[in-house]
Amino acid sequence: MKEHIKDNLMNFFIIVTLVNIAIFIWGNLLAPDQNITYMAFIVPIIDGLLGIIPGLVMYSKRELTMKQMILREIIQLVSIELIILFFTFGFSFNAAKIPMMIAVIVSVAVIYLLVIVIRYFLDLRSARKMTDALKIFQESFSSKADPD
């Protein structure tokens, strides 16, 4: 459980960073003349917190099959999309908001995929470090056991 919380905390910080980048890009494309206030700085933090809710709720101690893992990822993405859309737009819908809604939907999906990719490379780096450490340990252990 401790590892799961640590993973979600890491995801939170990755999400916050990527949301900042998405706001910068979409803001320049859709509303380049709009000025933002200091309240805008809290949006990535809120989005980060909302983005990790499905990951916290869908925690499983048992090992999942590949099919179950893919299904869980899809459910998490759809959940995050709905949560972010609800908190961003509420229940109000009008045609003027469609470009912004599409931008949010695309951003959430891209950020979700980027979090998976970034986490993969971070985990790969950790695995390599552990493998290298194990090799060093095995070499030092075998050299002590071999009295040549």
Side-chain angles (χ1 to χ4, degrees):
M1 183 68 163
K2 184 179 176 182
E3 188 68 29
H4 179 66
I5 291 171
K6 182 181 154 194
D7 286 345
N8 277 287
L9 192 59
M10 175 90 70
N11 290 347
F12 168 79
F13 287 113
I14 295 170
I15 291 167
V16 169
T17 303
L18 294 174
V19 167
N20 275 314
I21 294 168
I23 289 172
F24 172 77
I25 292 169
W26 285 114
N28 279 321
L29 291 174
L30 297 176
D33 299 329
Q34 183 176 350
N35 292 326
I36 60 171
T37 65
Y38 289 113
M39 287 301 291
F41 289 107
I42 198 72
V43 171
I45 295 168
I46 292 170
D47 285 346
L49 289 170
L50 295 173
I52 65 169
I53 288 172
L56 291 170
V57 172
M58 297 184 75
Y59 173 68
S60 174
K61 287 184 179 183
R62 68 181 184 88
E63 190 73 25
L64 300 176
T65 66
M66 184 59 80
K67 202 183 254 188
Q68 290 171 329
M69 185 68 105
I70 291 170
L71 181 62
R72 184 166 89 178
E73 294 292 337
I74 292 169
I75 291 170
Q76 283 182 333
L77 175 59
V78 171
S79 300
I80 293 169
E81 292 278 9
L82 293 173
I83 290 169
I84 298 293
L85 284 173
F86 173 74
F87 276 92
T88 304
F89 299 103
F91 289 112
S92 63
F93 178 81
N94 62 44
K97 291 183 180 180
I98 290 176
M100 189 61 82
M101 291 176 100
I102 291 171
V104 169
I105 291 168
V106 169
S107 295
V108 168
V110 169
I111 289 170
Y112 188 82
L113 292 173
L114 284 172
V115 168
I116 291 170
V117 169
I118 291 168
R119 287 304 307 269
Y120 171 79
F121 284 113
L122 290 173
D123 291 345
L124 185 64
R125 190 181 81 189
S126 293
R128 284 186 181 147
K129 282 183 180 180
M130 288 190 324
T131 301
D132 292 343
L134 279 172
K135 285 179 183 176
I136 291 169
F137 175 75
Q138 286 176 335
E139 288 170 4
S140 69
F141 185 73
S142 66
S143 66
K144 289 178 184 176
D146 189 20
D148 286 341

